[in-house]
Amino acid sequence: MKQVSFSLFPGQVEAYKSLVDPSVQSKILRNFVLNEYQLVDDLSVINEGDVKGLKPEKFLFDEHTNDRLNELVKTVRESGYKANRSSLMRNIMKQLIEKLESQNVSLPKKREIRHSSFYFEKGTREVLEQFVPFRDRNSAIERFILEEYKPSHNLAFLLEKPEEVEAMRIGIATEAFSKLDDHVKEIKTKGITRTALMRDVVVQLIGKLSNTDGSKLITEKRLESAIDEFKRKFGSEVLRERLEEEYNLKINNKKNQD
């Protein structure tokens, strides 16, 4: 994590700070750059605007966000338009402010944070951190719950218990906890709890960020971990023999069924 500075239009800094709690201003901006911002169709606007009175503002960026910003600048330039990190950030900030103002669900300035431990399928944390850095995990989960989350209609999935459990401590605004509790009341099904919905939240969030099936990624991670553990305990040769046995067994079973 390092400090970066951008020259923003007059009023942008004040507008953004009025919408987002100071403790998460850098986090919200990083998440937006990494996961939501899209270049506008008319790339000429990236370098438009009166550059007089620009105000420098500092944020904390990690390597991934920094690289993403550089890639966006490169894309604009390769398309034949002028751009630098600050001019692009002015457009990013414009979009982010409009989003926060239109949704009116930005993180309140004074909000009570609650921490609780939730239980997930083993491997969930590792998969999630492929797409959301640990330091941004809470804010990403909170914002997803407040802005986008709708419980799965598959009640059987919501009722599933992890086969191998791992705990994850999550700290989010009381408002987000209350929203999960409201969903529990609406579903009215015994066994579907806040923890069950939090598992669904994380699976859906992974799915959104990866653009694929979140459950599939978590299952694949469990399988990968199980294979690695078997190999570590019994060696590559025994692992190969065991996998071949399983494969041959399935082939024979299929032939018998045919």
Side-chain angles (χ1 to χ4, degrees):
M1 193 76 68
K2 68 177 182 178
Q3 196 173 71
V4 292
S5 180
F6 305 102
S7 297
L8 304 179
F9 288 130
Q12 276 191 318
V13 174
E14 292 76 12
Y16 182 61
K17 288 185 175 181
S18 71
L19 293 165
V20 180
D21 183 90
S23 65
V24 292
Q25 286 169 5
S26 290
K27 290 182 179 181
I28 297 301
L29 181 58
R30 289 197 302 269
N31 283 336
F32 188 74
V33 172
L34 280 172
N35 304 314
E36 298 184 52
Y37 175 73
Q38 298 292 325
L39 286 170
V40 292
D41 292 332
D42 181 7
L43 295 177
S44 66
V45 304
I46 298 295
N47 205 46
E48 286 183 348
D50 187 359
V51 295
K52 294 180 180 179
L54 294 180
K55 183 176 180 180
E57 186 66 20
K58 296 178 179 178
F59 297 95
L60 290 176
F61 269 26
D62 56 23
E63 182 180 353
H64 298 296
T65 312
N66 216 41
D67 289 346
R68 168 69 173 155
L69 186 62
N70 290 337
E71 289 173 4
L72 290 168
V73 171
K74 183 180 178 182
T75 298
V76 175
R77 289 176 176 174
E78 289 178 344
S79 299
Y81 297 91
K82 292 182 179 179
N84 56 40
R85 287 165 59 88
S86 286
S87 65
L88 188 60
M89 184 53 65
R90 291 193 286 271
N91 186 257
I92 291 172
M93 188 63 74
K94 176 178 180 293
Q95 284 193 27
L96 178 53
I97 290 171
E98 289 174 352
K99 173 178 182 274
L100 294 172
E101 289 177 338
S102 65
Q103 292 181 336
N104 197 30
V105 291
S106 59
L107 303 177
K109 283 192 170 182
K110 292 182 180 179
R111 71 190 202 283
E112 179 186 353
I113 299 295
R114 292 176 56 186
H115 292 83
S116 184
S117 291
F118 295 89
Y119 298 93
F120 299 85
E121 192 68 65
K122 187 177 180 180
T124 301
R125 182 195 292 108
E126 189 173 351
V127 173
L128 179 60
E129 289 180 358
Q130 291 176 10
F131 306 100
V132 180
F134 168 76
R135 54 189 163 272
D136 297 335
R137 185 175 71 199
N138 287 341
S139 63
I141 291 173
E142 176 179 324
R143 191 159 284 280
F144 185 71
I145 292 171
L146 292 175
E147 297 179 6
E148 301 180 55
Y149 175 65
K150 296 185 184 303
S152 169
H153 294 299
N154 186 344
L155 296 183
F157 170 74
L158 295 178
L159 287 166
E160 284 182 5
K161 303 294 184 183
E163 294 183 21
E164 293 184 81
V165 174
E166 71 176 10
M168 194 187 309
R169 190 162 178 79
I170 297 173
I172 55 178
T174 301
E175 181 185 359
F177 275 108
S178 297
K179 193 162 185 179
L180 288 183
D181 292 339
D182 288 342
H183 286 312
V184 170
K185 293 175 184 176
E186 291 167 2
I187 295 171
K188 297 178 181 178
T189 300
K190 184 179 180 180
I192 295 181
T193 62
R194 183 197 294 166
T195 294
L197 292 190
M198 184 61 83
R199 286 195 286 267
D200 186 39
V201 166
V202 173
V203 168
Q204 287 192 29
L205 178 58
I206 290 172
K208 174 195 170 185
L209 298 179
S210 66
N211 197 31
T212 188
D213 187 325
S215 294
K216 179 174 179 289
L217 291 181
I218 294 169
T219 302
E220 287 175 347
K221 176 55 65 177
R222 284 181 55 218
L223 177 60
E224 178 185 319
S225 298
I227 290 174
D228 288 342
E229 183 178 358
F230 191 97
K231 180 180 177 181
R232 188 167 53 252
K233 286 184 177 180
F234 305 106
S236 300
E237 186 62 27
V238 177
L239 172 62
R240 183 183 63 79
E241 292 174 358
R242 189 70 184 90
L243 292 175
E244 287 178 352
E245 288 174 6
E246 286 292 325
Y247 176 77
N248 292 331
L249 181 61
K250 288 182 179 179
I251 293 297
N252 291 332
N253 287 340
K254 187 176 184 304
K255 288 180 179 178
N256 291 335
Q257 291 173 1
D258 295 339

